[in-house]
Amino acid sequence: MKILFTKNIDSEILSKELGNDISAECVEVIKIENLHIEPFDLKNYSLIFTSSNGVKSFFENQFKPNEDFAAKNYNKIYCVGEKTKRELRKNGFGTFKVLKNADTLSKFIIDHCQHEKFIHFCGNLAIDVLDQKLPLQNISYKKISIYKTDELNPAIPEKYHAIVFFSPSGVRSFAKNNSLENTVLFSIGETTSKELRKFSSNPIFTSEDNTLASVFDLIRRKI
């Protein structure tokens, strides 16, 4: 049985998680490039991160959030996914709220955070859930592209029993030159699955948590 992962994963991890009965291969479908953004004052803003890449580029650009809760103008940090949360912690910052995806984050903000002002640090291809919904509720929201995602659009001649996807941009990149029919589809989260449904009517298995460990667990249960 052959599975294709649409991102590079260490071969030892693949072997340990999937065993000897599954042949796993990897292909890069997107390339991430950090953009240079001159740091500016974050006073009075709540911060949104929807990917770990956004967090990495934010700190590489030398932004300095204020997380002193005793201070009047500290920055609340909202994020999507445990991977994004871990990246914030690696840089010494916690999170005010962690949500599963951008849709649930938008609902939380609309229900509980009407009077906050938000800056969303994200990639140039970030899904538009937040900027579609928040301004309609008169919530102050600004999106800043802090990294760039290039879709590599590889052509893959081999056929695989299953293909695993990790982002909507990865889905678009792969689907441009390859068919998604007649294969089992795995997805790291509902946002990625939503993009897959645009290209295939096949059943899509979606991990419960947006983590690689959850993806491996799902594969073991379904294959």
Side-chain angles (χ1 to χ4, degrees):
M1 183 176 297
K2 293 173 66 176
I3 297 181
L4 181 66
F5 287 79
T6 57
K7 68 179 295 184
N8 280 336
I9 300 172
D10 186 90
S11 59
E12 291 186 7
I13 294 176
L14 290 173
S15 178
K16 176 184 176 183
E17 295 290 342
L18 300 177
N20 297 323
D21 295 331
I22 297 176
S23 172
E25 297 179 5
C26 300
V27 60
E28 286 283 11
V29 294
I30 59 173
K31 182 177 72 173
I32 303 297
E33 179 185 345
N34 290 339
L35 301 175
H36 175 70
I37 304 292
E38 195 68 33
F40 55 85
D41 190 359
L42 300 173
K43 183 178 178 180
N44 296 323
Y45 283 101
S46 295
L47 312 180
I48 296 175
F49 297 95
T50 48
S51 71
S52 60
N53 289 315
V55 176
K56 291 175 184 176
S57 187
F58 176 84
F59 286 106
E60 285 186 15
N61 276 288
Q62 305 300 312
F63 279 97
K64 299 186 183 301
N66 175 15
E67 206 185 29
D68 180 2
F69 294 159
K72 184 177 181 181
N73 298 310
Y74 77 95
N75 302 118
K76 288 182 181 179
I77 299 178
Y78 298 78
C79 82
V80 168
E82 290 297 319
K83 185 177 179 181
T84 309
K85 175 184 174 180
R86 288 197 298 272
E87 192 65 37
L88 282 161
R89 289 198 178 280
K90 278 178 17 184
N91 285 277
F93 288 86
T95 50
F96 177 75
K97 194 71 178 178
V98 182
L99 282 303
K100 189 173 183 180
N101 53 47
D103 192 52
T104 55
L105 175 57
S106 70
K107 291 175 182 175
F108 180 85
I109 290 173
I110 290 168
D111 289 343
H112 303 285
C113 315
Q114 285 276 346
H115 302 297
E116 293 179 41
K117 296 195 300 181
F118 292 90
I119 299 179
H120 179 193
F121 292 94
C122 57
N124 62 313
L125 299 182
I127 58 173
D128 53 10
V129 170
L130 295 169
D131 50 346
Q132 281 185 348
K133 294 186 176 182
L134 299 189
L136 289 176
Q137 301 296 322
N138 294 317
I139 295 172
S140 175
Y141 170 83
K142 178 167 32 174
K143 178 191 282 188
I144 294 181
S145 294
I146 201 164
Y147 69 92
K148 182 175 73 167
T149 302
D150 291 323
E151 297 176 2
L152 301 178
N153 309 130
I156 310 296
E158 280 195 76
K159 300 300 180 184
Y160 294 86
H161 179 263
I163 306 174
V164 189
F165 291 92
F166 297 89
S167 69
S169 56
V171 172
R172 291 191 298 270
S173 174
F174 185 89
K176 184 166 184 177
N177 291 316
N178 304 280
S179 172
L180 295 178
E181 299 304 324
N182 302 314
T183 187
V184 181
L185 301 174
F186 288 94
S187 162
I188 197 169
E190 183 53 41
T191 305
T192 302
S193 295
K194 185 177 179 180
E195 193 69 24
L196 277 167
R197 294 186 192 105
K198 298 178 183 178
F199 297 95
S200 176
S201 58
N202 285 10
I204 300 165
F205 297 110
T206 307
S207 65
E208 294 182 6
D209 299 314
N210 293 7
T211 64
L212 186 57
S214 181
V215 170
F216 282 132
D217 179 63
L218 181 64
I219 293 171
R220 287 191 294 266
R221 287 189 284 112
K222 297 299 183 180
I223 293 293

Coordinates of all heavy atoms in Angstrom, one line a residue, residues 13 21-22 24 37 39 46 60 100 108 110 128 144 170 179 183-184 189 221:
I13 N 10.1 8.9 11.2 CA 8.8 9.2 11.8 C 7.7 8.4 11.1 O 6.9 7.8 11.6 CB 8.5 10.7 11.8 CG1 9.4 11.4 12.8 CG2 7.0 10.9 12.3 CD1 9.2 12.9 12.8
D21 N 4.0 -2.2 6.6 CA 3.0 -2.6 5.6 C 2.6 -1.4 4.7 O 2.0 -1.6 3.7 CB 1.8 -3.2 6.2 CG 2.1 -4.5 7.0 OD1 3.0 -5.2 6.6 OD2 1.4 -4.8 8.0
I22 N 3.0 -0.2 5.1 CA 2.6 1.0 4.3 C 3.9 1.6 3.7 O 4.8 2.0 4.5 CB 1.8 2.0 5.1 CG1 0.5 1.3 5.6 CG2 1.5 3.2 4.4 CD1 -0.3 2.2 6.5
A24 N 5.4 4.9 2.4 CA 5.0 6.3 2.4 C 6.1 7.2 1.6 O 7.3 7.0 1.8 CB 4.9 6.8 3.8
I37 N 8.5 42.9 7.1 CA 7.5 43.9 7.6 C 8.2 44.8 8.6 O 8.7 44.2 9.6 CB 6.2 43.3 8.1 CG1 5.6 42.3 7.1 CG2 5.2 44.3 8.6 CD1 5.0 43.0 5.9
P39 N 8.5 46.5 11.9 CA 7.7 46.4 13.1 C 7.0 47.8 13.4 O 7.6 48.8 13.2 CB 8.7 46.0 14.2 CG 9.8 45.4 13.5 CD 9.9 46.1 12.1
S46 N -5.7 43.4 19.6 CA -5.6 42.0 19.8 C -5.0 41.3 18.5 O -5.3 41.8 17.4 CB -7.0 41.4 20.1 OG -7.5 41.9 21.3
E60 N 10.4 36.8 13.6 CA 11.6 37.1 12.8 C 11.6 38.5 12.3 O 12.7 39.1 12.1 CB 11.7 36.2 11.5 CG 12.1 34.7 11.9 CD 12.2 33.9 10.7 OE1 12.3 34.4 9.6 OE2 12.3 32.6 10.9
K100 N -10.2 25.8 16.9 CA -9.9 24.7 16.0 C -9.7 25.2 14.5 O -8.8 24.7 13.8 CB -11.0 23.7 16.0 CG -10.7 22.4 15.2 CD -11.8 21.4 15.4 CE -11.4 20.1 14.7 NZ -12.5 19.0 14.9
F108 N -16.5 33.0 17.6 CA -16.1 33.4 19.0 C -15.9 34.9 19.1 O -16.4 35.5 20.0 CB -14.9 32.7 19.5 CG -14.4 33.0 20.9 CD1 -15.0 32.3 21.9 CD2 -13.5 34.0 21.1 CE1 -14.6 32.7 23.2 CE2 -13.2 34.4 22.4 CZ -13.7 33.7 23.5
I110 N -17.2 37.3 17.2 CA -18.4 37.9 17.0 C -19.3 37.9 18.2 O -20.0 38.8 18.6 CB -19.2 37.3 15.8 CG1 -18.5 37.7 14.5 CG2 -20.6 37.8 15.7 CD1 -18.9 37.0 13.2
D128 N -10.3 33.6 3.6 CA -10.9 34.9 3.8 C -12.1 34.9 4.8 O -12.9 35.8 4.7 CB -11.3 35.5 2.5 CG -12.2 34.6 1.6 OD1 -12.6 33.6 2.2 OD2 -12.4 35.0 0.5
I144 N -2.7 41.4 7.7 CA -1.3 41.8 7.2 C -0.6 40.5 6.8 O -0.4 39.6 7.5 CB -0.5 42.5 8.4 CG1 -1.1 43.8 8.7 CG2 0.9 42.6 7.9 CD1 -0.4 44.6 9.8
G170 N -2.1 23.7 -0.3 CA -1.5 22.5 -0.7 C -2.4 21.7 -1.6 O -2.0 21.0 -2.6
S179 N -5.0 14.4 -10.7 CA -6.4 14.0 -10.3 C -6.5 13.6 -8.9 O -5.6 12.9 -8.4 CB -6.9 12.9 -11.3 OG -8.2 12.4 -10.8
T183 N -8.8 7.7 -5.3 CA -7.8 7.5 -4.3 C -8.4 7.9 -2.9 O -9.4 8.7 -2.9 CB -6.5 8.4 -4.5 OG1 -5.5 8.1 -3.6 CG2 -6.9 9.9 -4.4
V184 N -7.9 7.4 -1.8 CA -8.4 7.8 -0.5 C -7.8 9.1 -0.1 O -6.6 9.3 -0.3 CB -8.1 6.7 0.5 CG1 -8.6 7.0 1.9 CG2 -8.7 5.3 0.1
G189 N -7.5 18.9 8.6 CA -8.6 19.7 9.3 C -9.7 20.0 8.4 O -9.6 19.8 7.1
R221 N -6.4 4.0 11.6 CA -7.8 3.4 11.8 C -8.5 3.2 10.5 O -9.4 2.3 10.4 CB -8.6 4.4 12.6 CG -8.1 4.5 14.1 CD -9.1 5.3 15.0 NE -8.9 6.7 14.8 CZ -9.7 7.5 14.2 NH1 -10.9 7.1 13.8 NH2 -9.4 8.8 14.2

